[in-house]
Amino acid sequence: MERIINSLLETDLYKFSMGQAIYHQYSDYKTTWSFKCRNEDVHFTKEMVNEIKRQIKMYCSLSFNDDELNYLNSIVWIKGSYVDFLRLWKPRYEDFTINTNDPCGLFIETKGTWLNTSMYEIPTLAIVNEVYFKMAYDYNRLYKSFKTKAKDKIEYLKKNPIGNFSEFGIRRRLSSEAQEYIVKALKNDTYKNSKFVGTSNVYLAKKYNLTPVGTMAHEWIMCVGQGTHKHNPAYSNYYALEDWVDEYGVLNGTALTDTIGTDCFLRDFRLTFATLFSGVRHDSGDPISWAKKMIKHYKDLGIDPKTKTLLFSDSLNFEKAHNIYSKFNKQCKVAFGIGTYLSNDTCEEPLNIVMKPTMCNGMDIAKISDVDGKGMCKNPDYVDYLQRSIDWRMKNEKQVTI
């Protein structure tokens, strides 16, 4: 199989936005990341595992070239000190443990500095996904169905507006070829009351002169808020947002709400943060209820919701996006980050694979989202402790707005 990852830019933009903040503020933090396949009927063969190992070794041979570094340096919020660090940085295969010791047939874990291990998530998932679909199926048949569905999607979009949207599909894409196909097709067409604004894939954004899109992921809030015993984890959002503002000020500001539940997030998303951040991102739970809650929160703070962006990114398709847009586009700015639906919609079911941090500085960390089934932690007792901390805060702490 040909090399899957050909550039270290071939990752989500938020790996660089978080990476810069990690470099400046948490360069000594160490994390463990764990892979999980949520599909119960999927099994990776030994041949697949061997190919995944080979592909990750090839990925680890890459380094940034001057053209790539100059591109990163052109992004307004990326600082020269971080670019100079990336000039020296490259992945370490020694940080990976890959074997067959898992019920699905594939075990992957990475350990090392947060600076390193954070960068491995997206390329690893892209490699796993592409290897699986090329070795488990007739890839040409899948790719043909993918292109047929892509054309149908674009026709739907021409008739049903969704406003601004971006492609977020690298981690679960059918292949690099498929992702590039849909990004190019979306860019080259025109739509009434819809606008394709960019992609999270920095490599494709550079190649096609698109806007690279992305701010923060759950890992930032989990590791900053739970990676030291000095912090009460129920205040994870406060610590994470405070450090983000220290790094970026008013730049690059879309806050993720559901790492330890949106209701707890809103306790910390007070007037200062709500003013500084340009918007918020939805990634779990009912999007309609979430949007109503966020609009009310802004109004309660005296902020006009029309000046803020609600970014939706949870298991979207164009029909869901159209329904959300129709309900809220007159009340606030609405945007969408659409992933697997754009990058891996074929005649076969896509994989539901994730790779998440499970430990930070030798301590368990966890995510408690707005819906069951999206969390991942090795220690159920820690999840129970985190939930009790959140419950105590929600029950006993007086809510303030400033």
Side-chain angles (χ1 to χ4, degrees), residues 295-309:
I295 289 170
K296 180 181 183 301
H297 185 74
Y298 279 124
K299 287 181 177 179
D300 289 346
L301 294 174
I303 296 173
D304 183 356
K306 293 180 181 178
T307 66
K308 298 297 180 179
T309 298

Side-chain angles (χ1 to χ4, degrees), residues 151-191:
K151 292 175 182 177
D152 293 340
K153 291 178 175 66
I154 289 174
E155 289 306 310
Y156 177 89
L157 194 61
K158 291 178 178 179
K159 301 173 184 177
N160 301 276
I162 67 171
N164 291 342
F165 71 101
S166 303
E167 187 275 333
F168 274 20
I170 184 171
R171 70 185 61 212
R172 294 174 189 155
R173 66 190 185 185
L174 173 63
S175 64
S176 56
E177 176 186 30
Q179 187 183 22
E180 185 162 354
Y181 176 90
I182 192 65
V183 166
K184 188 176 179 181
L186 289 168
K187 180 191 175 182
N188 290 340
D189 224 315
T190 56
Y191 321 95

Side-chain angles (χ1 to χ4, degrees), residues 315-330:
S315 303
L316 291 171
N317 57 39
F318 282 159
E319 184 176 356
K320 290 179 182 179
H322 171 66
N323 291 336
I324 294 169
Y325 177 79
S326 300
K327 287 180 182 294
F328 298 109
N329 77 90
K330 294 181 180 179

Side-chain angles (χ1 to χ4, degrees), residues 18 28 30 224 234 277 296 366:
M18 290 186 295
D28 61 335
K30 291 182 169 58
V224 171
F277 281 82
K296 180 181 183 301

Side-chain angles (χ1 to χ4, degrees), residues 262-281:
T262 293
D263 289 338
C264 191
F265 167 85
L266 292 178
R267 289 293 179 97
D268 292 315
F269 200 59
R270 302 170 187 173
L271 183 60
T272 300
F273 288 143
T275 301
L276 291 173
F277 281 82
S278 59
V280 287
R281 178 160 75 94

Side-chain angles (χ1 to χ4, degrees), residues 71-263:
Y71 176 77
L72 290 174
N73 203 39
S74 71
I75 298 173
V76 65
W77 45 261
I78 290 186
K79 301 171 183 177
S81 58
Y82 182 54
V83 173
D84 280 346
F85 163 74
L86 292 177
R87 194 178 306 278
L88 303 174
W89 185 82
K90 64 180 301 177
R92 282 170 38 88
Y93 187 72
E94 294 80 5
D95 291 342
F96 287 82
T97 299
I98 308 170
N99 56 51
T100 60
N101 297 330
D102 189 89
C104 76
L106 175 61
F107 175 92
I108 303 177
E109 192 170 78
T110 61
K111 293 182 179 180
T113 64
W114 189 14
L115 270 171
N116 281 358
T117 52
S118 174
M119 296 292 278
Y120 301 153
E121 176 197 2
I122 306 302
T124 298
L125 291 174
I127 286 169
V128 169
N129 213 76
E130 186 163 341
V131 167
Y132 178 80
F133 281 102
K134 284 187 172 178
M135 296 184 73
Y137 297 99
D138 177 350
Y139 172 75
N140 290 330
R141 178 177 67 91
L142 295 186
Y143 189 50
K144 183 178 179 180
S145 70
F146 171 82
K147 291 195 290 185
T148 299
K149 286 172 175 277
K151 292 175 182 177
D152 293 340
K153 291 178 175 66
I154 289 174
E155 289 306 310
Y156 177 89
L157 194 61
K158 291 178 178 179
K159 301 173 184 177
N160 301 276
I162 67 171
N164 291 342
F165 71 101
S166 303
E167 187 275 333
F168 274 20
I170 184 171
R171 70 185 61 212
R172 294 174 189 155
R173 66 190 185 185
L174 173 63
S175 64
S176 56
E177 176 186 30
Q179 187 183 22
E180 185 162 354
Y181 176 90
I182 192 65
V183 166
K184 188 176 179 181
L186 289 168
K187 180 191 175 182
N188 290 340
D189 224 315
T190 56
Y191 321 95
K192 184 179 180 181
N193 296 322
S194 296
K195 184 178 180 182
F196 178 56
V197 298
T199 173
S200 64
N201 184 328
V202 184
Y203 174 79
L204 291 180
K206 177 180 181 293
K207 184 173 182 177
Y208 290 102
N209 195 28
L210 292 164
T211 301
V213 182
T215 302
M216 69 174 70
H218 299 99
E219 66 172 281
W220 175 254
I221 300 160
M222 292 165 65
C223 293
V224 171
Q226 302 171 40
T228 170
H229 67 275
K230 297 177 182 178
H231 290 171
N232 180 333
Y235 293 82
S236 293
N237 290 298
Y238 172 79
Y239 298 117
L241 295 176
E242 184 80 3
D243 287 348
W244 199 264
V245 170
D246 286 346
E247 186 70 31
Y248 294 112
V250 298
L251 298 175
N252 201 27
T254 302
L256 182 57
T257 70
D258 70 329
T259 306
I260 54 172
T262 293
D263 289 338

